[in-house]
Short mmCIF file of all heavy atoms in Angstrom, two decimals:
data_model
loop_
_atom_site.label_atom_id
_atom_site.label_comp_id
_atom_site.label_asym_id
_atom_site.label_seq_id
_atom_site.Cartn_x
_atom_site.Cartn_y
_atom_site.Cartn_z
N SER B 252 9.28 -137.83 16.85
CA SER B 252 10.12 -139.00 16.97
C SER B 252 9.33 -140.28 16.90
O SER B 252 9.94 -141.33 16.79
CB SER B 252 10.84 -138.89 18.36
OG SER B 252 9.87 -138.94 19.42
N HIS B 253 8.05 -140.22 17.00
CA HIS B 253 7.20 -141.45 16.99
C HIS B 253 7.57 -142.37 18.12
O HIS B 253 7.60 -143.56 17.96
CB HIS B 253 7.29 -142.20 15.65
CG HIS B 253 6.48 -141.61 14.61
ND1 HIS B 253 6.13 -142.22 13.47
CD2 HIS B 253 5.93 -140.39 14.54
CE1 HIS B 253 5.41 -141.47 12.74
NE2 HIS B 253 5.30 -140.30 13.31
N ARG B 254 7.93 -141.75 19.27
CA ARG B 254 8.33 -142.61 20.36
C ARG B 254 7.55 -142.23 21.59
O ARG B 254 7.21 -141.06 21.85
CB ARG B 254 9.79 -142.36 20.69
CG ARG B 254 10.63 -143.07 19.69
CD ARG B 254 12.00 -142.76 19.93
NE ARG B 254 12.78 -143.45 19.01
CZ ARG B 254 14.02 -143.97 19.22
NH1 ARG B 254 14.55 -143.76 20.38
NH2 ARG B 254 14.68 -144.59 18.25
N ALA B 255 7.21 -143.20 22.37
CA ALA B 255 6.57 -143.02 23.66
C ALA B 255 7.54 -143.40 24.79
O ALA B 255 8.15 -144.48 24.73
CB ALA B 255 5.29 -143.80 23.81
N ARG B 256 7.70 -142.49 25.75
CA ARG B 256 8.54 -142.82 26.90
C ARG B 256 7.60 -143.04 28.02
O ARG B 256 6.82 -142.12 28.36
CB ARG B 256 9.49 -141.69 27.23
CG ARG B 256 10.57 -141.47 26.28
CD ARG B 256 11.12 -140.10 26.39
NE ARG B 256 11.39 -139.66 27.67
CZ ARG B 256 12.47 -140.04 28.40
NH1 ARG B 256 13.32 -140.80 27.87
NH2 ARG B 256 12.61 -139.60 29.63
N VAL B 257 7.63 -144.18 28.58
CA VAL B 257 6.65 -144.50 29.67
C VAL B 257 7.45 -144.88 30.94
O VAL B 257 8.36 -145.69 30.86
CB VAL B 257 5.76 -145.69 29.27
CG1 VAL B 257 4.66 -145.91 30.31
CG2 VAL B 257 5.16 -145.49 27.87
N ARG B 258 7.08 -144.27 32.00
CA ARG B 258 7.67 -144.63 33.29
C ARG B 258 6.56 -145.28 34.12
O ARG B 258 5.46 -144.73 34.24
CB ARG B 258 8.14 -143.31 33.94
CG ARG B 258 9.02 -143.60 35.17
CD ARG B 258 9.24 -142.35 35.86
NE ARG B 258 9.64 -141.30 34.99
CZ ARG B 258 10.85 -140.69 35.00
NH1 ARG B 258 11.70 -141.06 35.93
NH2 ARG B 258 11.15 -139.77 34.15
N PHE B 259 6.83 -146.43 34.63
CA PHE B 259 5.81 -147.13 35.35
C PHE B 259 6.41 -147.95 36.50
O PHE B 259 7.59 -148.20 36.54
CB PHE B 259 4.96 -148.04 34.41
CG PHE B 259 5.79 -149.11 33.75
CD1 PHE B 259 5.84 -150.40 34.27
CD2 PHE B 259 6.53 -148.86 32.57
CE1 PHE B 259 6.57 -151.42 33.61
CE2 PHE B 259 7.26 -149.84 31.95
CZ PHE B 259 7.27 -151.16 32.47
N ASP B 260 5.47 -148.30 37.44
CA ASP B 260 5.90 -149.07 38.61
C ASP B 260 5.82 -150.55 38.17
O ASP B 260 4.72 -151.05 37.87
CB ASP B 260 4.89 -148.69 39.69
CG ASP B 260 5.24 -149.52 40.94
OD1 ASP B 260 6.18 -150.31 40.96
OD2 ASP B 260 4.47 -149.31 41.94
N PRO B 261 6.94 -151.22 38.10
CA PRO B 261 6.88 -152.62 37.67
C PRO B 261 5.99 -153.57 38.47
O PRO B 261 5.55 -154.62 38.00
CB PRO B 261 8.39 -153.06 37.67
CG PRO B 261 9.06 -152.03 38.45
CD PRO B 261 8.25 -150.82 38.53
N ALA B 262 5.74 -153.13 39.65
CA ALA B 262 4.93 -154.01 40.51
C ALA B 262 3.45 -153.91 40.10
O ALA B 262 2.66 -154.90 40.39
CB ALA B 262 5.08 -153.60 42.01
N ARG B 263 3.01 -152.81 39.52
CA ARG B 263 1.62 -152.62 39.25
C ARG B 263 1.23 -152.63 37.76
O ARG B 263 0.11 -152.80 37.44
CB ARG B 263 1.13 -151.30 39.94
CG ARG B 263 1.18 -151.43 41.42
CD ARG B 263 0.91 -150.07 42.07
NE ARG B 263 -0.25 -149.43 41.57
CZ ARG B 263 -0.43 -148.12 41.42
NH1 ARG B 263 0.59 -147.36 41.63
NH2 ARG B 263 -1.48 -147.63 40.96
N ALA B 264 2.24 -152.42 36.94
CA ALA B 264 1.92 -152.41 35.51
C ALA B 264 3.00 -153.18 34.80
O ALA B 264 4.12 -153.45 35.28
CB ALA B 264 1.89 -150.99 34.96
N ASP B 265 2.75 -153.67 33.59
CA ASP B 265 3.75 -154.31 32.78
C ASP B 265 3.73 -153.85 31.35
O ASP B 265 2.77 -153.14 30.94
CB ASP B 265 3.71 -155.85 32.86
CG ASP B 265 2.41 -156.37 32.30
OD1 ASP B 265 1.51 -155.53 31.95
OD2 ASP B 265 2.21 -157.64 32.28
N LEU B 266 4.76 -154.18 30.67
CA LEU B 266 4.90 -153.69 29.28
C LEU B 266 3.78 -154.15 28.36
O LEU B 266 3.21 -153.42 27.57
CB LEU B 266 6.25 -154.25 28.71
CG LEU B 266 6.76 -153.51 27.47
CD1 LEU B 266 6.97 -152.02 27.76
CD2 LEU B 266 8.10 -154.11 27.12
N ALA B 267 3.37 -155.40 28.58
CA ALA B 267 2.27 -155.99 27.77
C ALA B 267 1.01 -155.13 27.93
O ALA B 267 0.30 -154.89 26.98
CB ALA B 267 2.03 -157.42 28.09
N GLY B 268 0.70 -154.73 29.18
CA GLY B 268 -0.48 -153.97 29.48
C GLY B 268 -0.44 -152.64 28.76
O GLY B 268 -1.42 -152.17 28.23
N ILE B 269 0.75 -152.01 28.74
CA ILE B 269 0.89 -150.74 28.12
C ILE B 269 0.73 -150.81 26.62
O ILE B 269 0.02 -150.05 25.98
CB ILE B 269 2.25 -150.09 28.51
CG1 ILE B 269 2.27 -149.79 30.00
CG2 ILE B 269 2.57 -148.88 27.72
CD1 ILE B 269 3.58 -149.52 30.64
N THR B 270 1.43 -151.77 25.98
CA THR B 270 1.28 -151.94 24.52
C THR B 270 -0.14 -152.26 24.18
O THR B 270 -0.65 -151.80 23.14
CB THR B 270 2.27 -152.96 23.94
OG1 THR B 270 2.16 -154.12 24.68
CG2 THR B 270 3.67 -152.44 23.99
N ALA B 271 -0.83 -153.04 25.00
CA ALA B 271 -2.19 -153.36 24.77
C ALA B 271 -3.05 -152.08 24.81
O ALA B 271 -3.97 -151.97 23.98
CB ALA B 271 -2.68 -154.44 25.79
N ALA B 272 -2.76 -151.25 25.77
CA ALA B 272 -3.54 -150.02 25.86
C ALA B 272 -3.38 -149.17 24.57
O ALA B 272 -4.31 -148.59 24.10
CB ALA B 272 -3.09 -149.21 27.08
N ILE B 273 -2.14 -149.19 24.06
CA ILE B 273 -1.88 -148.40 22.86
C ILE B 273 -2.65 -149.10 21.64
O ILE B 273 -3.19 -148.38 20.82
CB ILE B 273 -0.36 -148.24 22.61
CG1 ILE B 273 0.23 -147.48 23.71
CG2 ILE B 273 -0.13 -147.65 21.28
CD1 ILE B 273 1.75 -147.33 23.66
N ALA B 274 -2.58 -150.42 21.65
CA ALA B 274 -3.23 -151.15 20.57
C ALA B 274 -4.71 -150.92 20.56
O ALA B 274 -5.36 -150.92 19.49
CB ALA B 274 -2.84 -152.63 20.67
N ARG B 275 -5.27 -150.76 21.74
CA ARG B 275 -6.76 -150.61 21.87
C ARG B 275 -7.18 -149.34 21.09
O ARG B 275 -8.32 -149.33 20.54
CB ARG B 275 -7.16 -150.41 23.35
CG ARG B 275 -7.73 -151.72 23.90
CD ARG B 275 -8.60 -151.43 25.13
NE ARG B 275 -7.97 -150.64 26.12
CZ ARG B 275 -7.04 -151.18 27.03
NH1 ARG B 275 -6.77 -152.44 26.92
NH2 ARG B 275 -6.48 -150.44 27.89
N VAL B 276 -6.39 -148.31 21.00
CA VAL B 276 -6.82 -147.13 20.22
C VAL B 276 -6.21 -147.22 18.84
O VAL B 276 -6.31 -146.19 18.16
CB VAL B 276 -6.38 -145.83 20.97
CG1 VAL B 276 -7.35 -145.58 22.10
CG2 VAL B 276 -4.98 -145.81 21.41
N GLY B 277 -5.67 -148.31 18.40
CA GLY B 277 -5.44 -148.51 17.00
C GLY B 277 -3.94 -148.18 16.60
O GLY B 277 -3.74 -148.02 15.39
N TYR B 278 -3.00 -148.23 17.50
CA TYR B 278 -1.64 -148.01 17.08
C TYR B 278 -0.86 -149.24 17.52
O TYR B 278 -1.20 -149.96 18.33
CB TYR B 278 -1.03 -146.77 17.76
CG TYR B 278 -1.80 -145.51 17.51
CD1 TYR B 278 -2.87 -145.13 18.30
CD2 TYR B 278 -1.42 -144.63 16.51
CE1 TYR B 278 -3.62 -144.03 18.07
CE2 TYR B 278 -2.16 -143.51 16.20
CZ TYR B 278 -3.24 -143.15 17.01
OH TYR B 278 -3.93 -142.08 16.79
N ARG B 279 0.27 -149.38 16.83
CA ARG B 279 1.17 -150.53 17.21
C ARG B 279 2.41 -149.97 17.87
O ARG B 279 3.01 -149.03 17.44
CB ARG B 279 1.57 -151.29 15.97
CG ARG B 279 0.46 -152.36 15.57
CD ARG B 279 0.63 -152.85 14.18
NE ARG B 279 1.99 -153.07 13.70
CZ ARG B 279 2.72 -154.09 14.07
NH1 ARG B 279 2.34 -154.99 14.95
NH2 ARG B 279 3.95 -154.20 13.59
N ALA B 280 2.79 -150.60 19.02
CA ALA B 280 3.93 -150.14 19.74
C ALA B 280 4.86 -151.34 20.06
O ALA B 280 4.41 -152.40 20.32
CB ALA B 280 3.52 -149.41 21.02
N TRP B 281 6.12 -151.08 20.03
CA TRP B 281 7.11 -152.08 20.49
C TRP B 281 8.34 -151.40 21.09
O TRP B 281 8.65 -150.25 20.68
CB TRP B 281 7.50 -153.00 19.33
CG TRP B 281 8.15 -152.35 18.16
CD1 TRP B 281 9.47 -152.09 18.07
CD2 TRP B 281 7.54 -151.84 17.01
NE1 TRP B 281 9.71 -151.44 16.89
CE2 TRP B 281 8.53 -151.28 16.23
CE3 TRP B 281 6.21 -151.83 16.56
CZ2 TRP B 281 8.27 -150.68 15.00
CZ3 TRP B 281 5.96 -151.25 15.31
CH2 TRP B 281 6.97 -150.70 14.58
N PRO B 282 9.06 -152.04 22.03
CA PRO B 282 10.13 -151.42 22.61
C PRO B 282 11.28 -151.13 21.65
O PRO B 282 11.58 -151.95 20.78
CB PRO B 282 10.64 -152.47 23.66
CG PRO B 282 9.47 -153.37 23.83
CD PRO B 282 8.73 -153.33 22.59
N VAL B 283 11.83 -149.93 21.77
CA VAL B 283 12.81 -149.45 20.69
C VAL B 283 14.04 -150.36 20.70
O VAL B 283 14.53 -150.70 19.65
CB VAL B 283 13.24 -148.01 21.05
CG1 VAL B 283 14.46 -147.67 20.21
CG2 VAL B 283 12.10 -147.08 20.66
N LEU B 284 14.54 -150.72 21.87
CA LEU B 284 15.80 -151.47 21.91
C LEU B 284 15.61 -152.99 21.93
O LEU B 284 16.57 -153.70 22.05
CB LEU B 284 16.63 -151.04 23.11
CG LEU B 284 17.08 -149.53 22.99
CD1 LEU B 284 17.86 -149.16 24.25
CD2 LEU B 284 17.84 -149.31 21.77
#
Side-chain angles (χ1 to χ4, degrees):
Chain B
S252 62
H253 282 197
R254 284 175 178 213
R256 290 156 49 78
V257 186
R258 191 190 310 245
F259 61 97
D260 178 2
R263 292 169 53 215
D265 62 356
L266 198 56
I269 291 166
T270 49
I273 295 177
R275 260 203 303 283
V276 284
Y278 302 87
R279 276 162 39 76
W281 61 86
V283 166
L284 294 178

